[in-house]
């Protein structure tokens, strides 16, 4: 353990800091880091270098190169810089490189140097140029803050949703501030700047002067500022060599340290682990690195070469031309286990496991000591936790072996934490590999989450490793393997040196019917890369037509989109394509396309019936569909025309169309309607009242109600209304008028073609029993009982039913017998029914048997004989 703690450095009495090597950098840098613009992403992210020739003489003849490396120094991208002078570089939370130019334009590049997009920080920045810039991170995303040549600040808190804010002017500011930084308070981005001994805080509304609590006197200038990784703490370096540390709200001082160096540092960053009470700041000069906190002493390291500091969640990464190191506070679990002469439960368990491997009796002594104190569970947990914070696999295994050894002596220790730690460490060791180059710590990994780590592996095109991790952790396919395969496919379509056929086949063989994979998204990426034919081939594998059609329309393959929409059976989708085709094609081509798709044509006709009637008429004309054209003109005559002349003309056009369609019935009916319209107009002119648009029956009824019987009869003759229908119309109308005298005359005018039962029914409907009885006597025998029952004459109805000897009629009368008054009638019917039944039975008894009718002897004394047997018997009898 003494060897293990050799690189531990105490800061005060309560904290240790250690620095260990992550990678030996093999990158072949042509320039010193001091001559480059440098940006390194957090969470073990990539490093971007851009030689800055704009600060040197004869810069115009030098073409700078933008280079991107992994954290282990593996090259990811390299390209000549062809745009304007760059002031600052920075990485977004999505690992996109933001390059802030002097003219205020921000260029965004991907991890492999692929250009993504650009945006401008506004006209004011363009006019006054950019002096300095900062890339910062908030809960909303990654932001950019700009200091212009007019000494004004402009910022956007989220470059993904660009909203520029011009900060208030600082009074009396004539030159650039000595230092400045961005703060995030209450979900709002602020700018803190130093002008001489004064500090100003800018928000969206005002500029406020602030005073640091407990600042040592004699400060005439602030040389450097640093905000912690979580934006909760702030450190300032003064020209007196003091470092003030406090909260980002500027209301509380944590400590102050005198480093006895007045030269301005190159960099100053915070170094503290999450939820730790100890807070430290790392300050770097040309050849010196200092770690300071609230202790009176500091930790100092000698820098052999030019270095760059990258603040992390739980420490600081330090890289130079040759090495990449990590400096952090020793975690509590590791400190308790490995510090000299430690008697912590984890330390004793680790020693017990080592002695057990040596087959030493001391293992039992250590275990007994832990068990006597009841701290075996705590010891196992300490070893598991410490294993997570170790970088080297050998030490991880040693601690996990100790934890596993201790678990054997516990009855109910839950294995989840141990298994989960083993899984996490296996994932971390895989991504820390030199060829992968993502040196995540356990704390960073938990903060980043496995999903974001997988996204970062996908960005680096490390698809096999990402899939192996998903399978190892048994992540759901939609969140894991399927998503990664979809990203791989989107990358595959960008390989333009492979034919469309081969790419589509390779993608389908790899993906198949994997759940969660959308071929339409992959096809959209292919189309975005200019590979339209490949996109169409990929869409053939997409099972959802609703995803195929929009992209086909976007690719201007509308006819293919129409076929796919029709195959889907989704009418809404078909309508969408039809409307798109209508706007895209000329009228003739559009109609020809519809003729080749009967279902689409039918749906479009339905649409036109409600929305575009003129287009519908053109469709019928083009198809020579005279039958539908005639129907169209009939509907149009009632929907559009109000004048009788226009309606008659439309009906005449319809009749002509029906004749062309050889539908003489429809043509004759249309001509009859034209005659009726003209007649109705004449009736309105002569008689007044409303006749137009009435049906033929209603017109006759209206004439009868108006006393125009002769006109009604003439109309019936003209339009060949059958007698039965005319009698019904006249009967109903006269009853409605209660003109009983005229009704009686009408009934006697000739024999009724509808009989007289309707007269009875209509009169009773008008509650006139007296008139109904007149017609009940004239009803024929077959309907006599029903008529008598309608007028309430139950007794006579019973007599008629008995006379007819009709069982159904007698049952009908019985159903109308109610109360004591009809009791005698009911008895009469019952007696009649009984007598009829008795007579029926008597007739059946007197009825001769079939053999007796034929003159043959009965079968009572003989068995049944066949014709041959009968002949033999007769021969025997005659003998």
């Amino acid at each position: 353990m003494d060897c293990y703690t050799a690189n531990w450095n105490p800061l005060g009495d309560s904290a240790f800091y250690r620095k260990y090597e992550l990678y030996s950098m093999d990158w072949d840098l042509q320039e010193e880091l001091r001559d480059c613009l440098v940006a390194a992403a957090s969470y073990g992210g990539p490093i971007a270098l851009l030689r800055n020739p704009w600060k040197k003489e004869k810069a115009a003849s030098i073409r700078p190169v933008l280079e991107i490396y992994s954290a282990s120094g593996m090259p990811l991208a390299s390209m000549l810089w062809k745009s304007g002078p760059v002031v600052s570089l920075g990485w977004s939370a999505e690992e996109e490189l933001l390059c802030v130019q002097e003219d205020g334009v921000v260029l965004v590049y991907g991890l492999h140097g692929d250009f993504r997009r650009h945006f401008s920080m506004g006209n004011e920045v363009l006019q006054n140029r950019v002096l300095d810039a900062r890339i910062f991170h908030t809960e909303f995303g990654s932001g950019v803050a700009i200091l212009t040549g007019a000494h004004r600040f402009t910022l956007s808190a989220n470059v993904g949703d660009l909203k520029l804010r011009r900060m208030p002017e600082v009074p009396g500011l004539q030159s650039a501030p000595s230092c400045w930084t961005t703060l995030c308070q209450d979900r709002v981005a602020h700018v803190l700047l130093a002008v001489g001994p004064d500090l100003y805080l800018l928000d969206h509304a005002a500029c406020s002067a602030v005073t640091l609590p407990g600042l040592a006197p004699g400060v005439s200038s602030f040389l450097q500022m640093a905000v912690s990784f979580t934006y909760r703490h702030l450190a300032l370096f003064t020209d007196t060599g003091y470092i003030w540390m406090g909260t980002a709200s500027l209301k509380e001082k944590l400590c102050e340290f005198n480093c006895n160096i007045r030269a301005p540092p190159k960099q100053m960053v915070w170094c503290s682990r999450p939820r730790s009470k100890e807070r430290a700041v790392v300050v770097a000069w040309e050849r010196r690195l200092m770690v300071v906190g609230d202790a009176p002493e500091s930790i100092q390291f000698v820098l052999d070469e030019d270095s760059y500091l990258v603040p992390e969640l739980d420490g600081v990464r330090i890289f130079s031309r040759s090495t990449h190191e990590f400096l952090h506070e020793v975690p509590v679990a590791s400190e308790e286990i490995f510090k000299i002469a430690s008697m912590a439960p984890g330390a004793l368990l680790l020693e017990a496991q080592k002695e057990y491997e040596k087959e030493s009796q001391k293992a039992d002594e250590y275990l007994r000591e832990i068990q006597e104190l009841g701290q075996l569970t705590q010891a196992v947990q300490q070893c598991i936790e410490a294993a997570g914070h170790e970088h080297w696999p050998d030490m991880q295994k040693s601690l996990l072996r100790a934890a596993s050894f201790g678990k054997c002596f516990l009855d109910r220790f839950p294995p989840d934490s141990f298994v989960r730690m083993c899984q996490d460490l296996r994932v971390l060791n895989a991504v820390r590999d030199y060829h992968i180059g993502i040196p995540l710590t356990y704390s960073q990994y938990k903060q980043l989450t496995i999903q974001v780590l997988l996204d970062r592996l996908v960005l680096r095109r490390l698809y096999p490793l990402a899939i192996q991790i998903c399978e190892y952790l048994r992540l759901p396919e939609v969140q894991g393997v399927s998503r990664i395969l979809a990203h791989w496919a989107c990358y595959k379509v960008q390989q333009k040196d492979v034919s469309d056929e081969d790419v589509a086949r390779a993608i389908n063989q790899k993906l198949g019917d994997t759940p969660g994979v959308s071929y339409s998204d992959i096809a959209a990426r292919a189309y975005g890369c200019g590979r339209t034919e490949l996109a169409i081939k990929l869409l053939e594998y997409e099972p959802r037509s609703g995803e195929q059609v929009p992209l086909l329309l976007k690719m201007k393959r509308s006819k293919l989109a129409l076929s796919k929409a029709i195959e889907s059976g989704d009418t809404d989708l078909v309508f969408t394509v039809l409307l798109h085709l209508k706007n895209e094609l000329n009228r003739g081509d559009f109609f020809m396309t519809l003729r080749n798709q009967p279902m689409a044509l039918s749906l479009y006709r339905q649409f036109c019936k409600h929305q575009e009637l003129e287009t519908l008429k053109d469709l019928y004309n083009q198809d020579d569909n005279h039958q539908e054209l005639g129907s169209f003109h009939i509907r149009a005559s009632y929907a559009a025309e109000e004048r009788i002349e226009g309606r008659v003309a439309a009906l005449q056009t319809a009749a002509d169309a029906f004749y062309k369609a050889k539908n003489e019935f429809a043509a004759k009916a249309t001509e009859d309607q034209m005659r009726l319209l003209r007649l109705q107009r004449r009736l309105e002119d002569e008689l007044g009242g409303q006749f137009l648009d009435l049906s033929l029956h209603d017109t006759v009824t209206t004439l009868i109600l108006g006393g125009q019987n002769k006109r009604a009869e003439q109309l019936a003759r003209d339009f060949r209304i059958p007698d039965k229908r005319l009698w019904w119309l006249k009967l109903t109308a006269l009853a409605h008028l209660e003109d009983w005298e005229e009704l009686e005359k009408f009934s006697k005018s000739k024999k009724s073609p509808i009989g007289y039962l309707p007269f009875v029914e209509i009169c009773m409907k008008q509650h006139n029993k007296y008139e109904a009885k007149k017609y009940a006597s004239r009803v024929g025998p077959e309907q006599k009982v029903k008529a008598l029952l309608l007028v309430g004459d139950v007794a006579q109805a019973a007599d008629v039913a008995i006379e007819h000897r009709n069982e159904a009629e007698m049952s009908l009368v019985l159903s109308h017998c109610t109360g004591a008054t009809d009791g005698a009638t009911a008895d009469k019917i019952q007696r009649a029914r009984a007598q009829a039944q008795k007579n029926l039975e008597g007739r059946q008894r007197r009825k001769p048997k079939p053999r007796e009718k034929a003159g043959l002897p009965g079968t009572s004394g003989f068995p049944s004989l066949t014709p041959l047997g009968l002949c033999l018997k007769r021969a025997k009898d005659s003998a």
Side-chain angles (χ1 to χ4, degrees):
M1 289 191 184
D2 293 346
C3 179
Y4 179 77
T5 59
N7 64 342
W8 289 19
N9 298 278
L11 186 65
D13 299 328
S14 57
F16 290 88
Y17 284 78
R18 65 179 175 185
K19 180 163 69 79
Y20 57 83
E21 184 176 300
L22 296 173
Y23 303 108
S24 176
M25 305 291 277
D26 289 335
W27 52 5
D28 185 20
L29 296 184
Q30 302 297 324
E31 302 289 339
E32 294 290 339
L33 292 179
R34 69 172 68 92
D35 297 329
C36 301
L37 289 176
V38 183
S42 56
Y43 294 100
I47 302 168
L49 301 175
L50 178 64
R51 174 178 167 80
N52 192 1
W54 300 287
K55 293 186 179 180
K56 295 189 174 185
E57 296 180 357
K58 300 181 181 179
S61 61
I62 302 174
R63 180 65 62 86
V65 177
L66 176 63
E67 297 174 318
I68 301 176
Y69 298 91
S70 70
S72 60
M74 296 286 289
L76 298 176
S78 178
M79 64 178 192
L80 287 175
W81 187 259
K82 299 180 181 179
S83 191
V86 177
V87 176
S88 179
L89 298 177
W91 291 93
S92 70
E94 294 79 21
E95 291 195 329
E96 291 182 326
L97 182 62
L98 308 180
C99 306
V100 184
Q101 294 191 147
E102 195 178 45
D103 57 2
V105 175
V106 181
L107 305 178
V108 183
Y109 289 89
L111 197 66
H112 296 278
D114 50 309
F115 178 75
R116 300 287 178 83
R117 64 186 186 280
H118 75 280
F119 58 89
S120 174
M121 295 299 290
N123 289 328
E124 182 185 355
V125 177
L126 174 62
Q127 294 172 3
N128 296 304
R129 319 304 281 176
V130 177
L131 289 183
D132 199 4
R134 298 279 190 278
I135 311 298
F136 60 95
H137 306 286
T138 67
E139 57 187 297
F140 305 108
S142 301
V144 178
I146 299 289
L147 172 62
T148 69
H151 309 124
R152 298 290 298 272
F153 290 91
T154 299
L155 65 80
S156 172
N158 183 5
V159 296
D161 181 19
L162 193 66
K163 294 179 181 177
L164 299 177
R165 282 198 301 147
R166 187 168 181 260
M167 307 303 281
E169 186 176 1
V170 180
L173 183 61
Q174 300 297 325
S175 61
S178 56
C179 58
W180 64 279
T181 190
T182 55
L183 304 175
C184 294
Q185 300 175 2
D186 301 326
R187 301 168 62 120
V188 178
H190 302 262
V191 174
L192 178 68
L193 67 150
V195 181
D198 301 321
L199 293 173
Y200 296 94
L201 185 65
L202 307 181
D203 59 19
H204 64 282
C207 171
S208 307
V210 294
T211 303
L212 296 180
L215 180 65
V219 175
S220 60
S221 178
F222 295 94
L223 304 180
Q224 189 69 271
M225 293 182 183
V227 184
S228 66
F229 192 84
T230 58
Y231 288 87
R232 294 178 181 174
H233 301 101
L234 177 69
L236 294 97
F237 188 94
T238 68
D239 59 349
T240 60
Y242 278 84
I243 300 175
W244 181 92
M245 287 173 272
T247 60
S249 63
L250 304 173
K251 295 179 181 179
E252 181 183 352
K253 174 184 174 182
L254 300 176
C255 62
E256 196 170 27
F257 183 84
N258 184 5
C259 65
N260 296 318
I261 301 176
R262 298 196 174 191
K266 286 180 56 182
Q267 277 185 279
M268 183 170 69
V269 297
W270 281 84
C271 177
S272 59
R273 56 185 173 83
R275 297 181 295 278
S276 173
K277 294 182 180 179
E278 302 298 328
R279 301 174 182 88
V281 172
V282 180
V283 190
W285 288 270
E286 285 291 338
R287 290 291 181 265
R288 179 182 298 184
L289 190 74
M290 185 181 294
V291 183
V292 301
D294 57 359
E297 303 86 9
S298 64
I299 304 172
Q300 298 195 29
F301 300 94
V302 176
L303 299 176
D304 296 329
E305 50 190 344
D306 195 20
S307 301
Y308 188 84
L309 308 184
V310 185
E312 291 283 5
L313 175 70
D314 53 351
V316 177
R317 282 166 40 213
I318 307 164
F319 65 85
S320 63
R321 289 174 63 107
S322 60
T323 61
H324 196 159
E325 299 174 307
F326 186 63
L327 171 64
H328 72 127
E329 181 186 348
V330 177
V332 174
S334 299
E335 182 181 339
E336 290 184 349
I337 292 175
F338 293 109
K339 71 181 178 181
I340 299 173
S342 173
M343 296 300 290
L348 296 176
L349 181 59
L350 181 60
E351 289 299 323
Q353 193 273 333
K354 289 181 178 179
E355 295 298 331
Y356 175 77
E357 288 184 347
K358 297 176 184 178
E359 299 182 358
S360 171
Q361 189 176 356
K362 289 183 179 181
D364 183 61
E365 295 176 3
Y366 287 129
L367 278 174
R368 287 182 182 276
E369 185 175 351
I370 300 171
Q371 288 174 329
E372 287 173 359
L373 298 174
Q375 296 178 330
L376 187 54
T377 301
Q378 182 183 353
V380 174
Q381 291 172 341
Q382 278 185 348
C383 289
I384 294 174
E385 183 181 351
H389 295 294
E390 293 303 318
H391 182 76
W392 306 112
D394 290 341
M395 186 54 68
Q396 297 168 5
K397 293 176 182 178
S398 179
L399 288 165
L400 289 174
R401 277 195 297 265
S404 179
F405 178 69
K407 281 195 315 109
C408 296
F409 300 95
L410 291 171
D411 294 333
R412 297 182 178 178
F413 185 84
D416 297 348
S417 59
F418 181 83
V419 173
R420 192 161 49 247
M421 181 59 73
C422 291
Q423 292 176 334
D424 292 341
L425 286 176
R426 190 167 182 182
V427 172
L428 285 172
N429 291 334
V431 300
R432 287 170 182 169
D433 183 80
Y434 175 82
H435 296 92
I436 307 302
I438 306 178
L440 282 175
T441 65
Y442 180 75
S443 299
Q444 295 169 20
Y445 171 68
K446 286 301 180 183
Q447 180 72 19
L448 197 65
T449 72
I450 183 62
Q451 293 297 337
V452 178
L453 177 58
L454 291 174
D455 288 341
R456 297 197 170 191
L457 291 174
V458 167
L459 281 176
R460 288 161 173 76
R461 299 170 185 167
L462 300 171
Y463 306 107
L465 177 60
I467 291 174
Q468 287 176 0
I469 290 175
C470 292
E471 292 174 345
Y472 174 67
L473 297 178
R474 298 180 181 178
L475 298 178
E477 282 199 6
V478 175
Q479 300 176 10
V481 175
S482 298
R483 188 166 61 94
I484 294 166
L485 287 175
H487 282 288
W488 167 80
C490 290
Y491 167 67
K492 190 75 175 174
V493 300
Q494 300 175 35
Q495 299 178 350
K496 297 188 177 181
D497 55 334
V498 185
S499 68
D500 295 343
E501 192 72 35
D502 292 341
V503 171
R505 189 187 307 110
I507 290 175
N508 180 247
Q509 289 176 352
K510 195 74 173 178
L511 271 60
D513 296 327
T514 304
V517 174
S518 172
Y519 280 96
S520 62
D521 292 341
I522 303 169
R525 179 64 65 89
Y527 177 66
C529 296
R531 305 185 70 172
T532 304
E533 293 302 321
L534 174 58
I536 293 174
K537 292 180 184 297
L538 290 170
L539 282 177
E540 293 295 329
Y541 302 118
E542 175 59 61
R544 298 167 297 175
S545 300
E547 299 293 328
Q548 291 178 315
V549 170
L551 184 58
L552 287 170
L553 292 177
K554 186 178 178 181
M555 294 189 296
K556 300 188 184 305
R557 299 300 178 98
S558 304
K559 295 181 180 179
L560 181 57
L562 181 60
S563 300
K564 294 293 183 183
I566 292 172
E567 289 175 9
S568 72
D570 187 343
T571 55
D572 291 339
L573 203 58
V574 177
F575 277 129
T576 301
V577 180
L578 288 176
L579 294 178
H580 185 89
L581 277 170
K582 180 185 175 185
N583 296 327
E584 184 183 72
L585 304 177
N586 60 53
R587 198 177 186 86
D589 292 341
F590 176 57
F591 286 168
M592 288 301 296
T593 302
L594 290 180
R595 291 186 67 179
N596 296 327
Q597 298 286 357
M599 179 183 173
L601 179 59
S602 176
L603 287 173
Y604 189 66
R605 284 173 178 168
Q606 293 296 326
F607 169 78
C608 291
K609 284 180 181 178
H610 297 90
Q611 301 289 336
E612 299 180 3
L613 292 176
E614 287 301 316
T615 303
L616 182 64
K617 184 175 71 172
D618 293 341
L619 280 172
Y620 292 148
N621 276 323
Q622 186 181 32
D623 295 342
D624 293 333
N625 192 340
H626 300 294
Q627 176 66 34
E628 291 295 339
L629 194 60
S631 301
F632 170 82
H633 285 297
I634 287 178
R635 285 192 297 270
S637 69
Y638 285 92
E641 292 289 346
E642 294 184 359
R643 298 177 301 105
I644 185 66
E645 294 80 4
R647 292 172 63 178
V648 170
L651 288 173
Q652 182 61 56
T653 306
D656 296 341
F658 286 136
Y659 276 122
K660 290 179 181 178
K662 297 182 179 180
N663 188 345
E664 294 194 5
F665 172 78
K668 293 293 184 182
T670 305
E671 290 176 344
D672 287 344
Q673 180 63 21
M674 294 163 54
R675 289 169 52 212
L676 181 61
L677 282 174
R678 294 190 183 99
L679 178 61
Q680 287 173 340
R681 168 54 62 87
R682 189 164 65 250
L683 289 174
E684 285 187 354
D685 294 342
E686 296 175 358
L687 304 177
Q690 181 67 35
F691 286 93
L692 206 59
D693 289 333
L694 294 180
S695 66
L696 179 60
H697 289 179
D698 290 344
T699 304
V700 172
T701 302
T702 304
L703 288 171
I704 295 171
L705 291 174
Q708 301 292 326
N709 292 322
K710 290 185 178 180
R711 285 180 180 267
E713 292 173 0
Q714 182 61 43
L715 184 62
R717 286 192 295 271
D718 292 344
F719 287 91
R720 300 178 182 177
I721 297 178
D723 281 351
K724 286 186 177 182
R725 193 174 303 173
L726 179 61
W727 273 66
W728 265 109
L729 293 174
K730 196 164 185 179
L731 168 62
T732 305
L734 292 175
H736 180 75
L737 290 173
E738 297 185 356
D739 190 349
W740 307 114
E741 184 178 349
E742 185 64 29
L743 181 62
E744 187 173 0
K745 291 180 181 179
F746 173 61
S747 69
K748 295 177 179 179
S749 61
K750 67 177 183 178
K751 183 180 180 180
S752 172
I754 60 175
Y756 292 96
L757 182 60
F759 286 79
V760 177
E761 293 173 339
I762 292 294
C763 290
M764 291 304 298
K765 190 175 181 180
Q766 297 293 330
H767 309 291
N768 193 334
K769 185 183 291 189
Y770 175 78
E771 291 293 332
K773 286 182 177 181
K774 293 180 180 179
Y775 304 107
S777 59
R778 301 170 64 182
V779 175
E782 66 279 1
Q783 295 178 327
K784 192 78 170 182
V785 171
K786 187 176 180 181
L788 292 171
L789 290 175
L790 283 174
V791 297
D793 195 346
V794 179
Q796 190 175 352
D799 294 339
V800 174
I802 293 170
E803 181 183 348
H804 290 170
R805 298 178 182 180
N806 189 313
E807 178 65 24
E809 290 181 348
M810 285 190 284
S811 297
L812 180 62
V813 175
L814 273 176
S815 66
H816 284 74
C817 293
T818 57
T821 56
D822 296 328
T825 304
D827 292 342
K828 183 192 295 186
I829 293 176
Q830 292 292 0
R831 288 194 300 272
R833 294 175 73 177
Q835 185 63 41
Q837 183 67 26
K838 186 177 179 181
N839 294 338
L840 178 62
E841 292 175 354
R843 285 197 301 271
Q844 289 178 345
R845 282 195 301 269
R846 292 193 304 271
K847 186 175 182 180
K849 294 182 181 180
R851 289 184 177 274
E852 294 175 347
K853 287 183 179 180
L856 296 176
T859 61
S860 58
F862 300 96
S864 298
L865 297 177
T866 63
L868 178 60
L870 186 61
C871 292
L872 292 174
K873 184 178 182 304
R874 286 177 177 173
K876 183 179 179 180
D877 290 343
S878 63

